[in-house]
Amino acid sequence: MQTVETLNEGLKRAYTLTIPAQDIAARVEAEIKAVAPQVRMPGFRPGKVPANLVRKMHGPAIEQDALNKAVQQGVQTLLAEQALRPAIQPQVELGDYAPGQDAELKVSLEVLPDVPAPSTEGLTLERLTVEPDEAEIDAQIARFAGQSKRYEDAQEGHPAVEGDRVTIDFVGKTEDGEAFEGGTGTDMAVELGSGRLIPGFETQMEGIKLGEERVLNLSFPEDYPAAFLAGKPATFEVKATKVEVPLDTAIDDEFAKQLGLESLEQLRGLIKGQIEQELNGLTRTHMKRKLLDQLAERHNFEVPPSMVEAEFAQIWQQLEQEASRESDPAAARAEMETERDDYRKIAERRVRLGLLLSEIGRLNGVEVSQQEMNRLIAQAAQQYRGEDQQRFIQYVQQDPMAAAQLRAPLYEDKVVDYLFGQAEITDRATTREELEAAIEAEEGAFSGTAAPQDVHVHGPDCDHDHDHDHGHHHDHGHAHDHAEPAAEEVSEEPAPKKKASRKKAEPATEAEAAPAGDEAAEAPAPKKRASKKKAEAATDAEG
């Protein structure tokens, strides 16, 4: 194979490869010999079909397959001989080709940069620690109790009040008196005050008694998902078929046993452990962001533009999805456009940090062991059932990309843990509110150098797609794995989001739509969204 370098500028490389016709012909002959014993043809014993007839029957397909393999081998040889580490899959273009001729390929790619020796000396970090609060444990148990609420029939003549459960039959009608689709149902239980139904529905039912019929005069929200009802007035004719009052739930050992535990003390211990795990996660998130900030300040080297574009495309796609769920998608997209350059800087920073972390891991022997990998595969396989589990395991074992995707988060954790071990860390006790505020403050620091939301650690077997368009203009119908991507991706978090202001976890208070019973589908209304914050570049790994 003849190789000619046609471009060497910065991280960009381009080559012209010429694969001799005789090499392709040799592959064709070898393939014919390999398939001949499997060919069946009337008049011939199995495996005895002459090679010339095999060629006549299957020649075009065999020649195409031989060309595919020659192209793939040619690119692999180029990467090995030139010691190239592609940042993305090389783009390969096959020139005019006819059987019996040399094949000329144009191969273009970007290579990974030589990462300068990482500067990790003198890292200093503050670890904000929070102890679980007894009041928070009590509140969580109270929520469990609320979810386990039990009811008994109300006394005759009891007017329903907030907290009671009323079972109703109903018919919803538009302002012209016509019943609308999805607005009729029977035996629907409604907890008054839950905020599950459209505004006004539950409050107008207060005071209703068993057997009573009422007409509720309401209006659907402007953002109601059914366009023909959004913002429109409506009436609901309801009849109370059952009225129930809640029973007090005693929070004691018996309550814990109803949850499958032995005692209230055990329940408190489990909840405390969950809260500790959550708080430790917040502490790690804060430390990791500070760590990446320090690394970003110390290192500035050229990164492959194609990787930046791929990273930016992923960020932008997620932002588009976020915008589509806003009450005013057009305004959200307009705001995004004003920040496009900032997000591109975020993408560049992410790629640079990913390459840097990969180099730190390589230089310091950070690895994911086979035992750890087997555990990751087994855990991931649990999402499948029966035979699908084994098929998934075989798929991961045979596909380097899939294996790298599973390995990635653990590899990143190990690199970060190594750096934590090298840093000088001081502990400071604080409150949940202060810790969350510190994280929010970083998310609000909107700048191109703010901490990225996720970092791809680009190592030897990255599964990062990086827009892996091979660019093959020859229509040979086979996917080519010309070169494994030259980076191990460790992706821990999603792309930066336009974040809504944080709220305490509370039950949704928006209506679920026009009530609907067994005979009509209940269309849930969108929940009220918190006001949208200015997009933050921040938001490093949250784990």
Side-chain angles (χ1 to χ4, degrees):
M1 182 180 71
Q2 181 182 0
T3 302
V4 177
E5 185 179 68
T6 58
L7 177 65
N8 188 335
E9 294 179 358
L11 301 176
K12 294 183 178 181
R13 304 287 187 274
Y15 301 87
T16 297
L17 309 183
T18 302
I19 302 175
Q22 57 266 33
D23 289 357
I24 300 173
R27 288 180 179 273
V28 171
E29 293 302 321
E31 187 68 17
I32 289 175
K33 290 181 180 180
V35 303
Q38 306 168 29
V39 174
R40 299 292 184 268
M41 183 179 292
F44 295 94
R45 286 181 295 165
K48 299 299 182 180
V49 180
N52 64 321
L53 291 182
V54 175
R55 182 189 298 275
K56 184 176 181 180
M57 292 175 60
H58 303 287
I62 290 175
E63 289 176 356
Q64 189 65 69
D65 189 60
L67 176 62
N68 293 341
K69 292 179 179 178
V71 169
Q72 181 175 358
Q73 183 60 50
V75 175
Q76 294 286 4
T77 301
L78 168 69
L79 299 178
E81 290 181 348
Q82 301 294 324
L84 300 173
R85 298 189 304 150
I88 62 170
Q89 291 282 19
Q91 290 188 336
V92 181
E93 181 179 353
L94 176 66
D96 293 335
Y97 173 77
Q101 295 181 352
D102 294 344
E104 184 174 280
L105 310 177
K106 293 183 178 179
V107 182
S108 57
L109 68 154
E110 286 182 346
V111 297
L112 292 173
D114 292 326
V115 179
S119 172
T120 59
E121 299 80 11
L123 293 170
T124 59
L125 297 169
E126 183 178 53
R127 180 162 47 212
L128 302 181
T129 60
V130 181
E131 289 295 323
D133 183 75
E134 291 298 318
E136 191 171 358
I137 297 174
D138 292 338
Q140 182 61 56
I141 293 177
R143 282 194 287 272
F144 283 152
Q147 294 165 4
S148 305
K149 190 179 297 184
R150 294 178 296 121
Y151 294 86
E152 67 178 4
D153 289 342
Q155 294 182 355
E156 184 176 354
H158 170 77
V161 297
E162 184 173 323
D164 289 351
R165 185 168 67 184
V166 182
T167 301
I168 60 172
D169 298 338
F170 59 91
V171 177
K173 297 181 179 181
T174 58
E175 58 184 336
D176 58 7
E178 295 291 327
F180 57 81
E181 182 181 358
T184 301
T186 58
D187 296 327
M188 187 179 78
V190 180
E191 180 185 347
L192 301 190
S194 66
R196 189 170 65 89
L197 303 179
I198 61 176
F201 197 105
E202 295 167 26
T203 55
Q204 290 189 35
M205 281 178 53
E206 290 182 6
I208 198 169
K209 300 177 182 179
L210 177 64
E212 182 181 342
E213 298 182 5
R214 282 189 182 183
V215 176
L216 313 181
N217 295 292
L218 307 168
S219 291
F220 282 93
E222 293 291 340
D223 57 357
Y224 193 72
F228 72 98
L229 294 173
K232 302 292 181 60
T235 60
F236 281 90
E237 299 172 1
V238 303
K239 179 179 180 179
T241 59
K242 182 185 289 188
V243 177
E244 299 169 291
V245 295
L247 295 172
D248 291 334
T249 301
I251 299 177
D252 51 18
D253 288 344
E254 191 62 33
F255 169 69
K257 290 176 181 178
Q258 292 174 11
L259 299 176
L261 302 175
E262 295 181 356
S263 64
L264 180 60
E265 182 181 359
Q266 184 185 15
L267 174 60
R268 293 186 68 86
L270 288 174
I271 293 175
K272 181 178 180 180
Q274 293 173 350
I275 294 173
E276 284 177 339
Q277 186 175 9
E278 179 194 0
L279 293 172
N280 290 339
L282 292 174
T283 295
R284 181 183 174 87
T285 294
H286 180 258
M287 281 181 62
K288 182 175 178 181
R289 292 180 180 176
K290 293 299 186 182
L291 171 68
L292 294 182
D293 282 344
Q294 292 184 47
L295 292 176
E297 291 171 359
R298 296 180 179 202
H299 302 87
N300 185 23
F301 52 86
E302 184 180 14
V303 295
S306 57
M307 292 175 70
V308 174
E309 286 303 314
E311 198 71 46
F312 173 76
Q314 290 184 359
I315 293 173
W316 203 252
Q317 181 182 28
Q318 184 160 347
L319 291 173
E320 288 278 6
Q321 293 172 355
E322 291 286 321
S324 68
R325 294 192 287 268
E326 292 291 338
S327 58
D328 188 347
R333 292 189 179 95
E335 182 183 1
M336 283 167 49
E337 287 296 336
T338 65
E339 299 161 347
R340 179 182 288 269
D341 290 344
D342 293 291
Y343 281 113
R344 195 172 298 279
K345 291 176 183 177
I346 295 168
E348 181 178 337
R349 170 182 155 137
R350 284 168 138 189
V351 171
R352 183 175 293 110
L353 281 171
L355 293 170
L356 179 64
L357 291 179
S358 176
E359 183 69 2
I360 292 172
R362 184 187 69 82
L363 292 175
N364 294 282
V366 176
E367 295 180 349
V368 173
S369 69
Q370 187 58 52
Q371 183 179 6
E372 291 170 327
M373 193 64 199
N374 291 342
R375 186 167 61 250
L376 290 174
I377 294 173
Q379 289 172 349
Q382 294 304 310
Q383 63 185 301
Y384 301 97
R385 296 181 179 178
E387 295 179 356
D388 288 341
Q389 285 192 5
Q390 190 57 39
R391 281 195 288 267
F392 171 79
I393 292 173
Q394 292 174 350
Y395 163 69
V396 174
Q397 291 173 340
Q398 297 169 6
D399 189 321
M401 293 286 194
Q405 186 174 14
L406 277 179
R407 180 189 303 111
L410 179 57
Y411 183 82
E412 177 178 312
D413 278 344
K414 288 192 157 194
V415 175
V416 170
D417 286 339
Y418 167 79
L419 290 170
F420 283 166
Q422 301 301 303
E424 179 183 342
I425 298 177
T426 57
D427 291 302
R428 179 166 67 86
T430 185
T431 62
R432 173 190 283 271
E433 289 73 22
E434 183 181 354
L435 178 55
E436 290 176 345
I439 294 173
E440 285 285 335
E442 288 209 356
E443 292 176 353
F446 184 64
S447 70
T449 57
Q453 189 164 25
D454 62 7
V455 173
H456 302 304
V457 177
H458 301 281
D461 58 350
C462 172
D463 66 303
H464 193 181
D465 188 38
H466 295 310
D467 268 347
H468 287 161
D469 178 4
H470 293 216
H472 298 176
H473 293 254
H474 50 301
D475 184 18
H476 45 65
H478 291 277
H480 285 279
D481 185 15
H482 289 219
E484 288 186 15
E488 168 149 20
E489 169 186 302
V490 175
S491 178
E492 189 170 295
E493 312 78 24
K497 297 180 181 179
K498 302 256 182 180
K499 295 182 68 68
S501 56
R502 190 180 189 281
K503 289 186 175 181
K504 294 289 184 183
E506 297 172 349
T509 56
E510 182 54 80
E512 273 194 47
D518 296 335
E519 301 174 2
E522 185 174 355
K527 297 178 181 178
K528 297 268 186 192
R529 293 180 62 91
S531 60
K532 188 175 183 181
K533 290 176 65 177
K534 186 176 178 64
E536 297 100 355
T539 68
D540 273 334
E542 299 194 349

